[in-house]
Amino acid sequence: MQGRSQLPAAKLATKRKRERRRGGKPRVAKPRPPQTPSAPDPTRPRGRREIEPGPEEISAIRRRGRAVPRPQPARPERSGLAPGSVEAQRLPRVVLAGRPNAGKSSLFNRLLGRRKAIVDPTPGVTRDVVEAIATFGERAVLLVDTGGFEGEVRAGRPDAPSRERLDRAVRDASLAAVERAALVVYVLDGKAGLSPADEAAAAELRRRNVPVLFVVNKLDSPGRLAAGSEFYRLGADELLPVSAAHGHGVPELVDRVLAATPTAVVDSAAASGPDVIRVAIVGRPNAGKSSLLNRLLGYERAIVDASAGTTRDALDTLLEVGGARYVLVDTAGIRRRRKVSEVLERSSVGTAIGALGRADVVVLVIAADEGLTTQDQKLAALAWSQGRGLVLVVNKWDLRRRERPKSYIENVARLMPALGGFPMLTISAKTGAGVDAVLPAVQRVAAAHAAELPTARLNQVLMAAFQAQEPPAVQGRRPRLYYATQVGRRPPTIVVFSSIPGSIHPSYHRYLENQIASAFRLKGTPLRLSFRARH
């Protein structure tokens, strides 16, 4: 108790001491003089988006004994162009290649200014080719991240032949990206040093006669910077030292890339074209998501392997069919949370869930040989709670030829009523049976997801539902419904004005949602319905 009584006295003594220093006058804030714009200080460090200092500014900076600031790569602005669109394919392709764990994905994210590719210390994390549009001021390039590139696939692995087959598929995808490159940025591991794999890869690139810029990554210290001269044995005229982790040397790399590639800008008119339907293909591991993507596109965009967990990054690919434009996003398999323990798998699952949240329609792929599981229901509920449209696709139907699709769908609706109201298709991505019905179903759900409900018709449906069944009374008072209006799309969002908005029973809430969805044929999309008092 003694310490508590002394504390206020000590604070009071400190306050009186400060007042005596000010002459016993209370503290009054001094008015600030009006700020007048002044000439820019050439010695002030410049921001990421500012222009390079001119010759006079450089001279003034050097007279003051300060370092000349270099322009940092601009953070890319999100445009309406998809990496697989025709407009994006006209941009110069800059392909990042290198052996596993050289830091290609880290440099890819550093150049983009955001985290697009998954980064992990485990070698061989990137498998599929990841594309993104990077803008630097008024210039733009199509940046491509590839898997571990080596001269030849190593044989004799303990987990061969499945591992060898996967490595060969990764290498073939990387070589296919190199063939179409305007510039190849070959990333070397400055920490590990030169290896025979780098020499074999450099020889392979020389045989293909593509322009190559050699970049030595992970040079974070003067000692490593001095040891990087051994990479001149590759026959490179110039080595560019960088550190993707800390950003050292990245502005110089951007200058070299822009100087070695043709000038291209993002066409804003093309970016503001028709709406693109973003479709996220999600599901449990080994359900056939990548096989479905390749079948829809008509070529091998994603690497397919029998082992679960082959896909790790989210792959965005644009597809134009019948005047409609889709961005198909292949994602990693999502297992139950308690089974996800590795950091790499958690990153892949987080990327997949992020792609789900940015999609307009979610295609939930279910393996027919395993049947519907609780995890499938959770993924459907996740898409529904985030306001995404949903299409259920039962893949591998060729393994259940004896069962009729109609009876299977009816059985699912009976056992799991929560999934009975969604469009459900039975397909086989391996044989192509039923795949032609996927995109039309996606288009119908997307149209319902972005539907505009006429106010007059909406209120007719509301009054008909109210007259057919009134809401239950609460404490002797029965709520009245006045009118409704739509306040949002994707998904449709409706506000109903009521006399007692807080007394609407949840069952009557669901009743109105079902009536409105049935009247406007909003199948496969959530409907947000809220109640508000009339003022």
Side-chain angles (χ1 to χ4, degrees):
M1 298 298 294
Q2 184 178 1
R4 293 184 180 181
S5 61
Q6 291 178 354
L7 184 59
K11 286 186 176 182
L12 183 60
T14 304
K15 183 178 179 180
R16 290 176 177 175
K17 185 183 298 184
R18 291 175 180 173
E19 291 179 354
R20 285 195 299 270
R21 292 176 180 175
R22 293 194 297 263
K25 298 180 179 180
R27 185 174 182 179
V28 179
K30 296 182 180 180
R32 293 185 178 182
Q35 298 291 333
T36 57
S38 58
D41 185 4
T43 63
R44 182 176 56 87
R46 296 184 175 266
R48 295 178 61 91
R49 294 187 179 272
E50 296 191 15
I51 62 175
E52 188 176 357
E56 297 180 356
E57 295 178 336
I58 292 177
S59 301
I61 293 172
R62 288 175 176 172
R63 284 196 301 269
R64 293 172 180 259
R66 298 187 180 183
V68 179
R70 293 184 175 271
Q72 297 292 327
R75 183 176 295 274
E77 299 178 359
R78 184 175 295 276
S79 64
L81 293 181
S85 63
V86 177
E87 296 83 3
Q89 294 302 319
R90 295 172 182 169
L91 300 176
R93 299 173 63 89
V94 179
V95 178
L96 303 183
R99 59 191 178 94
N101 208 26
K104 301 181 297 299
S105 297
S106 299
L107 186 58
F108 180 81
N109 294 337
R110 173 68 67 174
L111 291 173
L112 282 181
R114 57 189 174 92
R115 192 173 185 270
K116 170 71 175 176
I118 295 177
V119 178
D120 191 84
T122 306
V125 171
T126 304
R127 291 172 176 172
D128 294 289
V129 174
V130 183
E131 299 178 350
I133 298 175
T135 57
F136 307 101
E138 297 182 354
R139 298 280 299 274
V141 299
L142 184 61
L143 204 61
V144 182
D145 185 22
T146 62
F149 177 89
E150 294 182 289
E152 291 292 340
V153 177
R154 292 174 291 174
R157 293 176 181 265
D159 51 357
S162 61
R163 179 66 180 181
E164 291 181 13
R165 184 170 58 251
L166 181 59
D167 289 348
R168 191 174 300 278
V170 174
R171 180 178 182 272
D172 293 342
S174 301
L175 288 177
V178 167
E179 288 287 348
R180 298 185 295 164
L183 176 66
V184 175
V185 177
Y186 191 84
V187 183
L188 299 161
D189 192 344
K191 183 178 181 181
L194 185 64
S195 70
D198 293 323
E199 297 177 351
E204 181 71 24
L205 293 175
R206 280 194 296 269
R207 283 196 298 268
R208 296 179 180 271
N209 196 23
V210 293
V212 183
L213 176 63
F214 289 92
V215 172
V216 185
N217 190 25
K218 304 181 182 180
L219 296 183
D220 307 323
S221 62
R224 291 183 184 175
L225 187 62
S229 59
E230 63 172 336
F231 292 101
Y232 280 104
R233 290 165 49 190
L234 297 176
D237 297 332
E238 180 186 16
L239 294 176
L240 193 61
V242 301
S243 173
H246 302 90
H248 304 322
V250 175
E252 290 81 359
L253 174 60
V254 172
D255 294 339
R256 299 292 195 281
V257 168
L258 296 181
T261 54
T263 302
V265 298
V266 176
D267 189 359
S268 58
S272 59
D275 291 340
V276 178
I277 304 174
R278 293 191 61 88
V279 183
I281 305 176
V282 302
R284 292 182 290 117
N286 210 21
K289 301 179 294 299
S290 298
S291 299
L292 176 59
L293 174 70
N294 294 339
R295 178 66 67 173
L296 291 173
L297 296 175
Y299 63 92
E300 297 293 326
R301 171 65 177 92
I303 296 175
V304 178
D305 192 77
S307 59
T310 302
T311 303
R312 288 170 175 167
D313 292 283
L315 308 179
D316 298 10
T317 310
L318 186 130
L319 176 65
E320 299 186 17
V321 178
R325 307 178 72 186
Y326 308 87
V327 174
L328 306 179
V329 185
D330 185 22
T331 62
I334 304 176
R335 297 195 297 170
R336 299 175 65 179
R337 181 178 298 180
R338 64 182 181 86
K339 292 186 177 182
V340 180
S341 57
E342 298 181 358
V343 177
L344 178 58
E345 186 175 1
R346 285 202 297 267
S347 299
S348 301
V349 170
T351 303
I353 294 177
L356 182 148
R358 294 188 299 271
D360 298 318
V361 180
V362 174
V363 174
L364 177 58
V365 182
I366 302 166
D369 55 341
E370 299 178 5
L372 280 169
T373 63
T374 306
Q375 180 66 5
D376 295 324
Q377 285 186 294
K378 290 182 178 180
L379 292 177
L382 177 62
W384 197 258
S385 64
Q386 294 195 11
R388 310 298 105 189
L390 185 62
V391 176
L392 303 180
V393 173
V394 182
N395 191 24
K396 305 182 182 179
W397 191 253
D398 53 308
L399 303 178
R400 306 187 63 148
R401 297 177 181 176
R402 297 182 179 180
E403 189 172 1
R404 296 177 55 190
K406 185 177 180 180
S407 61
Y408 179 85
I409 295 174
E410 291 176 352
N411 189 36
V412 169
R414 181 177 56 86
L415 296 177
M416 299 182 178
L419 300 180
F422 302 110
M424 184 177 296
L425 307 173
T426 56
I427 69 165
S428 173
K430 182 179 180 181
T431 64
V435 177
D436 293 339
V438 174
L439 291 182
V442 168
Q443 191 171 15
R444 289 192 297 270
V445 172
H449 190 250
E452 292 184 1
L453 311 182
T455 304
R457 173 63 177 156
L458 177 61
N459 283 276
Q460 290 177 3
V461 173
L462 178 67
M463 291 299 106
F466 178 77
Q467 293 173 4
Q469 181 177 343
E470 295 184 354
V474 178
Q475 296 181 354
R477 298 180 60 188
R478 190 177 301 275
R480 296 181 58 188
L481 305 182
Y482 298 116
Y483 61 94
T485 183
Q486 184 180 4
V487 296
R489 298 189 306 156
R490 295 186 178 92
T493 305
I494 299 172
V495 173
V496 178
F497 291 89
S498 171
S499 59
I500 317 175
S503 301
I504 304 296
H505 196 270
S507 61
Y508 196 77
H509 192 150
R510 292 190 298 269
Y511 164 74
L512 290 180
E513 288 182 350
N514 295 334
Q515 293 297 314
I516 296 175
S518 176
F520 291 96
R521 298 181 180 179
L522 304 178
K523 186 175 183 180
T525 180
L527 180 64
R528 299 286 185 257
L529 190 66
S530 60
F531 296 88
R532 189 180 302 174
R534 187 177 66 172
H535 298 290

